Amino acid sequence: MTMRIAVAISGRGSNLEALLRALRPDAPAAIVLVVSDRASAAGLEHARSRKIPATVLPDPDDPTGWLDLLRDYRIDLLVLAGYLRLVPAPVVAAYRGRIINTHPSLLPAFGGKGMYGERVHRAVLASGARETGVTVHLVDEVYDRGAVLAQSRVPVLPDDTAERLAARVLEVEHRLLPAVVRAAAAAGRPVPLTEAGVNQG
Ligand code: GRF
């Protein structure tokens, strides 16, 4: 059975692109829908250029819109890849354990409402932390709180700027998120990545 995946984005979509590249045609999972809360999200083009349905949510806070869409496309797994809003609670309830998110820090550090993009990396640098990283976790009703499925560490270098750190963390994200999605496709649901899984990602 092919796991049917929807990916939610709000912007550039480089993680979506990484997932599309990682899921080869013979993979036990396929991205069959891309949704966004913004018509201006550049990442929508990654889907359209591959003829994957790409939809802008008329009201991202309306659970009915979400549920109808996910049911119409018979979605098994929802991946938040740079999606910056909370998924409505009734959607989380209906898809509990089947929604994952990627976050560019070692949660629970540097997570939560308003912590996204370069703000995360500026906070890491301001804190003097010697390492940061990437976390892929299950999604619940609170930003960045769900159970951790995988983490990968990234050293903070003495001459790092927020931009340079963001770029190095993003490279790791582009490996870790596909590794978690592949493991989910193999297991039929999202599962914690073993150390081996993290290193092979
Ligand atoms: C990623 O770093 C993701 O963790 C964060 O926002 C960024 C989105 O990047 N939530 P992109 O849109 O996938 O390029």
Side-chain angles (χ1 to χ4, degrees):
M1 266 281 286
T2 300
M3 176 173 271
R4 296 173 61 83
I5 298 176
V7 179
I9 64 171
S10 293
R12 171 186 59 192
S14 72
N15 279 288
L16 166 61
E17 179 69 10
L19 268 176
L20 287 164
R21 289 171 188 269
L23 294 175
R24 288 186 289 274
D26 60 350
I31 296 172
V32 298
L33 175 67
V34 171
V35 298
S36 181
D37 59 330
R38 304 172 189 185
S40 60
L44 290 167
E45 216 28 62
H46 297 314
R48 291 181 178 136
S49 63
R50 289 176 173 83
K51 307 254 178 299
I52 296 171
T55 299
V56 178
L57 297 159
D59 176 1
D61 299 327
D62 166 29
T64 314
W66 272 100
L67 291 170
D68 290 349
L69 208 52
L70 297 176
R71 286 179 183 145
D72 289 353
Y73 284 85
R74 294 179 288 113
I75 296 302
D76 302 307
L77 176 69
L78 173 60
V79 177
L80 309 185
Y83 185 74
L84 303 181
R85 302 172 80 114
L86 270 184
V87 174
V91 179
V92 172
Y95 286 82
R96 194 165 304 282
R98 294 191 285 148
I99 309 178
I100 65 173
N101 179 49
T102 179
H103 183 82
S105 78
L106 295 173
L107 292 173
F110 309 108
K113 189 170 172 51
M115 287 302 273
Y116 57 84
E118 277 202 17
R119 292 180 190 181
V120 174
H121 307 293
R122 276 199 292 275
V124 169
L125 290 174
S127 75
R130 308 294 289 278
E131 74 173 0
T132 182
V134 176
T135 303
V136 179
H137 61 95
L138 287 175
V139 169
D140 65 15
E141 290 79 358
V142 177
Y143 279 111
D144 303 329
R145 184 185 68 176
V148 170
L149 296 171
Q151 287 190 316
S152 199
R153 297 170 184 281
V154 176
V156 177
L157 306 178
D159 61 348
D160 261 339
T161 60
E163 296 77 16
R164 272 206 290 272
L165 186 57
R168 279 209 322 284
V169 169
L170 198 60
E171 271 178 40
V172 174
E173 254 187 309
H174 290 169
R175 293 197 302 275
L176 192 67
L177 183 59
V180 172
V181 168
R182 277 196 296 265
R189 62 184 174 79
V191 291
L193 268 196
T194 63
E195 198 49 45
V198 170
N199 295 332
Q200 283 153 18

